[in-house]
Amino acid sequence: MTSHDERRAFWEGRLGTDWTETGVGYRALGRPFNEWMYRVRREVFLREAGALDLDRARARVLDIGSGTGFYVRAWRDLGVGSITGCDLTEAAVERLRPRFPDVRFERLDIADPGDALPEAAFDAASCMDVLFHITDDDRYTAALESVARAVRPGGYFVLSENFLHRPAERGANQVNRTISWITGRLARAGFDVLRRAPMLVLMNAQVDAGPVWRKVWGGALRAATLTEPTGWLAGAALHPLERRLVRARRESPSTEIMVCRRR
């Protein structure tokens, strides 16, 4: 299990040297493939966040783990009137502020934000591909409780996670937890799950598939993305299929998006 200081140092180093989709995405697959992957992520996010019952011009939104500002831009493109972003790292925050001068950014750890986030101040919060990097279960639970305090009753929480139906899988910088464990912690924090849908299907690690398929498809993706030109071609070839799959399937063996409401 990685300590808080080690986790922050890891991300400071990673984003300090690679503040792109690759730095926040699946690094082993290279930037061109990640850029195609993030096109699908954007489409799914805009569909799900755009369906929330919000007066977007007046809505106050919190984006957690803002990274390069990908989802900050998505909220802004949806017409949200007030956005606050936050990230664990100075490497991200010091770059985000000039990129989005109309957005307030805070450097904080969502598991222990102190008084940086006012209580019940936000109509919605997003936390995309962040929580599975919190390797300590107690800090993961604390993060959800912090989000719940920041979101008003009746507000929304949009997150992406690897909701496993198989046993949890633990690594130094990422823990893939079971769907029952995650939804249990969400319920304890005060959230009701409204819906869950595929964020990606084939363009990411097959974390919830059988061991043979995980190994075969993972190897195929890494082989196809060994160089930037082949990575671009692989992304371009998979992109139209992936767009159809995330709309047609109810579940995914990869990352999924979940929408919750604060009780």
Side-chain angles (χ1 to χ4, degrees), residues 130-210:
V130 170
L131 292 170
F132 48 57
H133 291 300
I134 303 176
T135 56
D136 180 89
D137 290 347
D138 290 338
R139 293 188 71 82
Y140 188 109
T141 302
L144 294 182
E145 292 169 349
S146 296
V147 179
R149 283 191 295 273
V151 174
R152 64 166 175 81
Y156 298 95
F157 181 31
V158 183
L159 66 149
S160 62
E161 253 285 11
N162 296 321
F163 300 100
L164 298 191
H165 294 82
R166 63 182 185 85
E169 183 178 67
R170 294 183 177 271
N173 293 298
Q174 181 169 322
V175 175
N176 298 320
R177 297 173 171 90
T178 66
I179 185 170
S180 59
W181 190 93
I182 295 169
T183 54
R185 292 307 188 279
L186 284 164
R188 279 173 46 179
F191 289 108
D192 294 323
V193 176
L194 300 182
R195 60 184 178 273
R196 177 170 54 93
M199 191 87 178
L200 296 163
V201 178
L202 292 176
M203 295 185 78
N204 202 6
Q206 305 290 283
V207 293
D208 202 25

Side-chain angles (χ1 to χ4, degrees), residues 21-32:
E21 289 87 349
T22 314
V24 295
Y26 192 165
R27 199 171 199 176
L29 302 184
R31 184 172 181 179

Side-chain angles (χ1 to χ4, degrees), residues 88-258:
L88 180 66
T89 68
E90 288 289 352
V93 170
E94 68 183 11
R95 291 169 171 84
L96 286 164
R97 285 171 176 157
R99 176 174 281 188
F100 300 96
D102 57 335
V103 176
R104 180 170 69 91
F105 290 99
E106 298 283 349
R107 209 293 298 167
L108 59 83
D109 181 353
I110 193 59
D112 186 17
D115 59 0
L117 301 176
E119 188 170 346
F122 299 98
D123 301 294
S126 54
C127 189
M128 310 302 291
D129 284 14
V130 170
L131 292 170
F132 48 57
H133 291 300
I134 303 176
T135 56
D136 180 89
D137 290 347
D138 290 338
R139 293 188 71 82
Y140 188 109
T141 302
L144 294 182
E145 292 169 349
S146 296
V147 179
R149 283 191 295 273
V151 174
R152 64 166 175 81
Y156 298 95
F157 181 31
V158 183
L159 66 149
S160 62
E161 253 285 11
N162 296 321
F163 300 100
L164 298 191
H165 294 82
R166 63 182 185 85
E169 183 178 67
R170 294 183 177 271
N173 293 298
Q174 181 169 322
V175 175
N176 298 320
R177 297 173 171 90
T178 66
I179 185 170
S180 59
W181 190 93
I182 295 169
T183 54
R185 292 307 188 279
L186 284 164
R188 279 173 46 179
F191 289 108
D192 294 323
V193 176
L194 300 182
R195 60 184 178 273
R196 177 170 54 93
M199 191 87 178
L200 296 163
V201 178
L202 292 176
M203 295 185 78
N204 202 6
Q206 305 290 283
V207 293
D208 202 25
V212 174
W213 176 246
R214 288 203 308 271
K215 185 174 182 179
V216 168
W217 187 247
L221 281 181
R222 288 189 293 275
T225 57
L226 278 176
T227 68
E228 291 199 350
T230 60
W232 188 93
L233 288 170
L238 281 173
H239 179 254
L241 173 60
E242 190 78 329
R243 292 185 66 221
R244 290 195 294 271
L245 289 173
V246 295
R247 291 193 298 264
R249 291 179 62 109
R250 296 182 62 185
E251 289 194 326
S252 167
S254 187
T255 307
E256 295 176 317
I257 190 170
M258 178 178 278

